[in-house]
Amino acid sequence: MSEASLYDRLGGGDKLKTIVADIWANHISNPKIKNRYVNSDGEKVKQVVWEFFCSGIGGPQEYTGQDMLAPGMRRSSGGSHYGDPWTEGFGSQKL
């Protein structure tokens, strides 16, 4: 018997859309990093993040976003404007 994929164990596409929406909300309300997203199309960002995440953990979604190695996609976090990624990005989630 094969083990269920991480995608299935986390609840599938609908549950993961909720998680992505919560992470997005945390990012755009975080004073340390929110300016990075001022000119972003939130719906588009959430869609491609959801696709990327789902496709990487066994879901049927196909990632339609930019190639992560494309010019302009490689950004240094610099380290100083990010805190603990769990509390900054996932703090409201109870997984």
Side-chain angles (χ1 to χ4, degrees), residues 11 35 42-43 49 53 58 60 64 68 70 74 78 86 94:
N35 290 337
E43 293 307 311
V49 168
F53 187 52
T64 62
M68 300 300 269
R74 289 179 249 154
W86 181 259
K94 291 181 175 58

Side-chain angles (χ1 to χ4, degrees), residues 51-85:
E51 292 169 358
F52 183 80
F53 187 52
C54 290
S55 67
I57 62 170
Q61 293 76 6
E62 182 178 332
Y63 175 64
T64 62
Q66 290 183 330
D67 180 337
M68 300 300 269
L69 297 178
M73 289 299 292
R74 289 179 249 154
R75 294 185 181 140
S76 171
S77 70
S80 64
H81 60 277
Y82 289 102
D84 177 345

